Amino acid sequence: MTTHSVPRGTKDILPSEIPYWHLIESTARNLFDLYNYQEIRTPIFEHAELFEQGIGQGTDIVEKEMYTFTDKGDRRLTLRPEGTAPIVRAVIQHPELIHHQNAKLYYCGPMFRYERPQSGRYRQFHQVGVEYIGESNPEADIEIISMAYRFFEALGLEKLTVNVNSIGDEISRPVINEAIRQFLGNTKWLEKELCPRCLPRFNQNPLRILDCKNEVCNQYLSGMPDIKTLQSAACKDHFHSVIDGLKRLKIPFKVNPFLVRGLDYYTRTTFEIISDNLGAQNAICGGGRYDNLIKKMGGKSTPAIGFAFGIERIILALQAQKKVIKNTHSLIFIAPIGYTYYSQGMQMLDTLRRSGFKSEMDYAQKNDLKSQLKTANKLKATFVIILGEEEALKNTIIVKNMKTGIQTEIPSKTMVKYLQAQT
Ligand code: HAM
């Protein structure tokens, strides 16, 4: 018989890891609520053109990483590789999402990219993302970047670097691209020197050469003037206001003139948060402004900014700093000695659960106390409730504290009160 395993680049999230997921998701929900963002849930697949148009034809995601398929009705659909394009689609489709020209939304769920799997890089991964739609002022950028930082702070993540940059607007972009072409110069030698990914970028989108990870490409760019010096006065002012605002809020950050990001929709502010506790896949959060995307997707011209972080990478970073997160609810184990007391045990179990206690009983009908205590130990129960013949006659139970070993006999009807006082 063939055995099956998960597809390459995907993984089962086992119960031992779930407390990390719950912590990350609940910390995000609580924090985003404080900033007055609302949750939105969009489909896991969308029309392929949404991403082709939204993310950009020349990007790695659209060129090689999308899970696109034709359904039985001949529709070309794509498993979402990211969340921004679907949110933009939703905002255009449901204009009522915009109140006072603003929509502040967040989302959480699986994303799919056909990438080469390695530690921290998967084909199905999970993002939590935030989009602030409708505000062009730098205060929105400051709120978004500081909220991302405060989230990691609340989680207790250490050794983070916040990289911030501005890639200019549609007016500055042709100027920047031309400056990069000029700086790199003669195309003849470029063919031999630039990496195979950067060569087509030279003509199509030179800006992307800036964040190439290839050392040779990096070397040719050293000495390149900061692209921010080539931007319009409005872009420069915007960036300075963002920087000043982050300083006022005491958000530690670095200006990284080479940060351009891999999706085509960005304008002006871009940012990325890096964990120094991770290996090659060290970007735990990425985002930026996308002032032209909503219009490009068929909506009214509307500015916007957002970010997304990868849950798997955050868990790796938490584990790298040896942060152990466990389910902390203590377990109460009921041990009836003999089958006669099973029904009483079941009733107690029901009472405990209805009173908010996590509790368990072994239904394998073991009669002896010793083996039941062994099971309770394995399950890491904090208290065991022993129901025996002698106690049943007196309407009492024995509560064993598994940490101290102390056994206390109490009236059965005081069980909940007693345990409430103990836990
Ligand atoms: P992104 O940089 O492509 O941006 O992804 C954001 C985060 O998702 C990354 O920083 C990383 O933590 C995680 N991530 C990406 N790919 C993988 C992968 N293959 N395996 C594991 N984790 C991964 C976006 O997706 C934009 N939509 C962010 C945004 C929102 N910009 C504006 N609004």
Side-chain angles (χ1 to χ4, degrees), residues 82 84 113 115 120 122 127 131 261 265-266 283-284 306-307 310:
E82 62 102 48
T84 308
R113 296 183 193 174
E115 292 195 84
Y122 311 98
Q127 276 187 350
E131 313 295 346
R261 311 242 328 114
Y265 47 64
Y266 292 113
I284 53 171
F307 68 79

Side-chain angles (χ1 to χ4, degrees), residues 6-25:
V6 292
R8 191 165 141 75
T10 71
K11 62 178 191 146
D12 295 316
I13 301 158
L14 300 177
S16 57
E17 222 186 54
I18 291 293
Y20 287 89
W21 289 77
H22 286 174
L23 177 75
I24 292 167
E25 288 163 4

Side-chain angles (χ1 to χ4, degrees), residues 53-70:
Q53 204 192 346
I55 301 171
Q57 288 286 0
T59 58
D60 286 353
I61 296 181
V62 171
E63 261 182 10
K64 342 181 242 241
E65 295 172 1
M66 295 215 300
Y67 280 91
T68 299
F69 59 96
T70 309

